[in-house]
Amino acid sequence: MPTGKTPQPGPLSHHVARLLAAEISRRGLRQTDIAAAAGMSSSQLSRVLSAKKVFTIDQLDSVCRAVGVPIAQVVVMPEDGRRRSRPAADISRIDVGPPRDTQRAVAKAPHDDRGGDDGDG
């Protein structure tokens, strides 16, 4: 449910912004040209590249295309030694069911989940 609050850039936003800004600089590209190609204003691009604003996924995709880098190359968390990723086998699968009358997708609980905080229903 929307809270009405503007999302604040987190560690991933900062990292993505640094990577893209560095790549734009390395390639000798101009932010005004990238912004125009991505369909956004120069000030919008400047704010997301300085991590003052959060990229939408569509903006990020457009900017990556304009720069010429795959989105998967920039949407990665930096390795800092504190985080240990779990093997894929340890991650529970969450199925997304069809939308209900609210027109929202709903995650289905695993078949053995009895619900509730205490597991009793």
Side-chain angles (χ1 to χ4, degrees):
M1 177 182 284
T3 63
K5 295 181 181 178
T6 302
Q8 296 300 309
L12 181 59
S13 290
H14 285 269
H15 183 67
V16 167
R18 278 191 303 273
L19 287 176
L20 275 175
E23 191 61 22
I24 289 169
S25 177
R26 186 184 75 74
R27 292 178 183 220
L29 302 171
R30 294 177 4 162
Q31 284 189 17
T32 54
D33 295 335
I34 298 299
M40 56 195 305
S41 71
S42 296
S43 62
Q44 269 185 309
L45 181 61
S46 177
R47 286 193 306 270
V48 292
L49 289 179
S50 62
K52 293 179 182 171
K53 184 175 182 278
V54 176
F55 267 116
T56 68
I57 194 71
D58 292 324
Q59 288 172 332
L60 180 58
D61 181 52
S62 295
V63 169
C64 285
R65 288 175 189 270
V67 174
V69 297
I71 193 170
Q73 182 178 322
V74 296
V75 183
V76 294
M77 286 299 291
E79 294 296 325
D80 62 5
R82 291 177 294 168
R83 295 179 182 256
R84 298 275 185 232
S85 62
R86 296 188 308 177
D90 291 347
I91 299 173
S92 300
R93 178 184 167 151
I94 297 176
D95 294 320
V96 177
R100 295 184 181 166
D101 55 38
T102 62
Q103 298 300 314
R104 295 184 189 149
V106 178
K108 295 180 184 177
H111 73 281
D112 57 345
D113 184 2
R114 296 175 47 195
D117 291 336
D118 57 1
D120 289 333

